[in-house]
Amino acid sequence: MITRRHFLAQGAATTAALALPGLAGANTAGFGEIRAQKAAIQLAPASYPRTEIWGYDGVMPGPELRVVQGARVQRSFLNELPQASSIHWHGIRIDNAMDGVAGLTQPAVETGGRFDYDFLVPDAGTYWYHAHNRSAEQVARGLYGALIVEESEAPDVDRDEVLILDDWLLDPETAQIDPDFSSRHDRSHAGRRGNFVATNGRYDLSQEVRQNERLRLRLINAANARIFVLALSGMDGWTVALDGMPLPQPEPVSEAIVLGPGQRADLIVDITAEPGETAHLVRLEDQEGASQAAFPVIGQASADRRATPLSLPPNPGMDVTGLDAASHARLNMQGGAMGTLDAAVLNGERKSFRELVDANEFWAFNGTVGMTDTPLINVSKGETATLEIYNDTSFPHAMHLHGMHFREIGKDGDLGPFRDTLLMFGGETRTIGFVADNPGDWLFHCHMLSHAASGMMTWMKVT
Ligand SMILES: [Cu+2]
């Protein structure tokens, strides 16, 4: 049994060992190299061939980067892929120059090139890193991993497990990744959805547990487009953080957990199933449930369940104040199949929807396809901004803001949890607010990556 004390001691020992100069390939300490490489992994069941993927350090998911809050992360990124690439550190309130958005915060790193990422992680929580050049292809090929920032005082759990959820679009005969990453249908509808679902690269992920054991489950949706709807079976628990940021109070998991692409949820769960039974993280789909991850129960950790967990400590400087005097903007999301978009500006020219379809572009923000010369929001550092978003399309979208977290402002003015990705369904109007405390050019885009690639991308400027 890994107790909290052991866990912390182990963490400290690991950090010390890897802090030795010249040690290459360190996965868990604050510095090292990270290589984007081609590799082959056994993704499908053993009767299928191995699947060619692109992975960080040749593995999928990429190495779990685990550091303590406030640490400096240094990774020299080496690109050994046949395409230019970059790494985005999703959810980190990061120095803009290190945000990894090819074409906005840095040039894409060409084949054989290198880029030194070097940044501080101000917030504890569950984050992830992934490719941010031609993301619809590169993330689908496997270029992602977890970035875990530990609280200086870890919560009292027996185990801490990262579960990265993804789906893959595989050829059912060869188990190879479908190489059409700009499919007209995927772009214009719900995005690229896979036919093979996995957790941490395994379709049959199974971890032995004991009754009344307490686990922290860090759920990360790394899929291109799939919305995961999840439930617990044989375990019971609380949501303690969303998109990395702690909730003020642990919230009992009483309804399905809905995770759009890019979103995360931290749960603290107690195993309630009896020894000999199996607990599951259940994926709900079409009124049915499938096991997303299995937890066979062997023996008992203790005779009784523990008390309700404490909330996680809040991250520093997280507040949304000044909403009354905020600078306000509006975003109309338009386009897609079964939408109302008649025409939009593409590369400076007004095009009919038919012409957009011919160009394999389908989505517009405020009448423009893709990035504009001027930002959607342009504010001074420290200013508060609000953004009303209308999803005038027939599809859900997961809107991700880089560099800062926001809170949703309810109809009656109540504030929702801090998030970096807002899942919006068709026809919804929602409003978010944030304090623009991080200077730079920040991307704001749909994390359904086929949508981002075909128009759903804009940016904000904080000076
Ligand atoms: Cu979208």
Side-chain angles (χ1 to χ4, degrees):
M1 170 168 159
I2 300 171
T3 64
R4 177 178 144 206
R5 184 177 301 275
H6 286 138
F7 181 76
L8 286 174
Q10 191 180 44
T14 306
T15 307
L18 296 178
L20 295 169
L23 188 63
N27 288 342
T28 53
F31 81 102
E33 289 184 340
I34 188 159
R35 292 168 188 267
Q37 300 171 318
K38 285 187 175 185
I41 61 166
Q42 192 65 46
L43 185 59
S47 56
Y48 288 86
R50 288 156 79 89
T51 302
E52 304 277 337
I53 60 118
W54 293 359
Y56 292 113
D57 290 356
V59 294
M60 209 299 302
E64 181 180 305
L65 308 183
R66 196 175 265 270
V67 296
V68 294
Q69 184 170 13
R72 180 175 175 185
V73 175
Q74 291 170 282
R75 277 290 181 288
S76 191
F77 168 55
L78 288 93
N79 183 12
E80 298 175 2
L81 301 173
Q83 277 178 12
S85 193
S86 64
I87 305 180
H88 169 56
W89 312 89
H90 186 124
I92 302 293
R93 294 193 290 162
I94 202 168
D95 173 5
N96 189 244
M98 295 291 133
D99 197 41
V101 178
L104 184 68
T105 67
Q106 67 167 92
V109 180
E110 299 296 335
T111 303
R114 171 193 287 269
F115 186 91
D116 293 329
Y117 291 100
D118 184 351
F119 55 92
L120 301 175
V121 286
D123 302 315
T126 299
Y127 305 95
W128 64 303
Y129 61 98
H130 62 79
H132 217 300
N133 188 49
R134 300 178 63 154
S135 311
E137 170 172 357
Q138 296 191 0
V139 175
R141 287 191 186 274
L143 287 168
Y144 59 76
L147 171 53
I148 304 302
V149 183
E150 294 178 348
E151 295 81 13
S152 54
E153 185 124 357
D156 187 16
V157 297
D158 299 318
R159 287 163 56 171
D160 181 321
E161 302 285 351
V162 177
L163 301 176
I164 309 184
L165 317 178
D166 193 9
D167 62 351
W168 300 76
L169 189 54
L170 300 182
D171 182 313
E173 300 296 323
T174 65
Q176 299 311 303
I177 296 171
D178 186 322
D180 181 3
F181 299 101
S182 52
S183 145
R184 191 170 292 269
H185 183 274
D186 291 351
R187 283 186 165 208
S188 59
H189 289 73
R192 179 184 171 100
R193 292 205 6 136
N195 53 4
F196 184 84
V197 180
T199 304
N200 298 347
R202 295 191 63 98
Y203 70 93
D204 59 350
L205 186 74
S206 179
Q207 293 171 336
E208 290 183 345
V209 294
R210 282 164 301 152
Q211 190 180 31
N212 293 325
E213 197 171 14
R214 176 162 279 183
L215 284 70
R216 178 178 188 166
L217 301 180
R218 300 176 182 263
L219 311 179
I220 301 172
N221 183 351
N224 275 47
R226 179 178 294 258
I227 298 167
F228 281 90
V229 182
L230 304 161
L232 304 178
S233 167
M235 50 183 159
D236 190 19
W238 300 262
T239 304
V240 294
L242 292 170
D243 293 354
M245 296 300 171
L247 299 181
Q249 296 296 329
E251 291 184 1
V253 176
S254 52
E255 295 173 358
I257 300 152
V258 179
L259 282 187
Q263 292 186 317
R264 288 90 65 214
D266 284 46
L267 311 181
I268 288 182
V269 300
D270 296 334
I271 303 297
T272 54
E274 301 284 334
E277 297 179 342
T278 299
H280 295 276
L281 177 66
V282 177
R283 180 177 76 255
L284 302 171
E285 219 165 323
D286 305 327
Q287 318 287 329
E288 288 185 26
S291 179
Q292 181 71 33
F295 300 88
V297 183
I298 48 143
Q300 210 178 40
S302 63
D304 299 303
R305 279 190 68 177
R306 302 196 211 177
T308 302
L310 302 175
S311 53
L312 298 173
N315 282 318
M318 300 293 291
D319 211 354
V320 177
T321 54
L323 284 168
D324 293 343
S327 95
H328 184 69
R330 193 180 150 88
L331 178 65
N332 282 339
M333 310 170 71
Q334 309 153 306
M338 299 171 284
T340 58
L341 186 65
D342 301 324
V345 174
L346 172 66
N347 300 327
E349 285 181 50
R350 191 165 176 81
K351 304 276 190 190
S352 69
F353 190 67
R354 171 46 52 193
E355 290 172 309
L356 295 177
V357 170
D358 289 343
N360 209 17
E361 303 283 353
F362 296 96
W363 308 93
F365 285 160
N366 292 345
T368 298
V369 177
M371 296 290 272
T372 46
D373 292 336
T374 53
L376 174 69
I377 288 178
N378 191 346
V379 287
S380 306
K381 185 183 173 191
E383 249 186 273
T384 302
T386 57
L387 178 66
E388 185 182 61
I389 310 169
Y390 173 37
N391 179 2
D392 186 16
T393 82
S394 298
F395 293 92
H397 302 288
M399 293 301 298
H400 172 47
L401 177 61
H402 287 223
M404 292 167 287
H405 278 63
F406 53 79
R407 297 181 79 170
E408 184 167 358
I409 304 166
K411 297 273 183 271
D412 50 0
D414 60 319
L415 297 177
F418 280 98
R419 301 215 69 140
D420 59 45
T421 306
L422 179 73
L423 180 61
M424 291 194 59
F425 293 90
E428 283 184 345
T429 299
R430 314 256 294 267
T431 301
I432 60 171
F434 61 97
V435 176
D437 54 6
N438 198 359
D441 294 344
W442 300 109
L443 207 63
F444 184 54
H445 66 99
C446 182
H447 221 285
M448 284 149 176
L449 300 172
S450 301
H451 293 171
S454 54
M456 288 200 142
M457 213 181 279
T458 186
W459 62 296
M460 303 186 190
K461 192 173 194 66
V462 182
T463 49

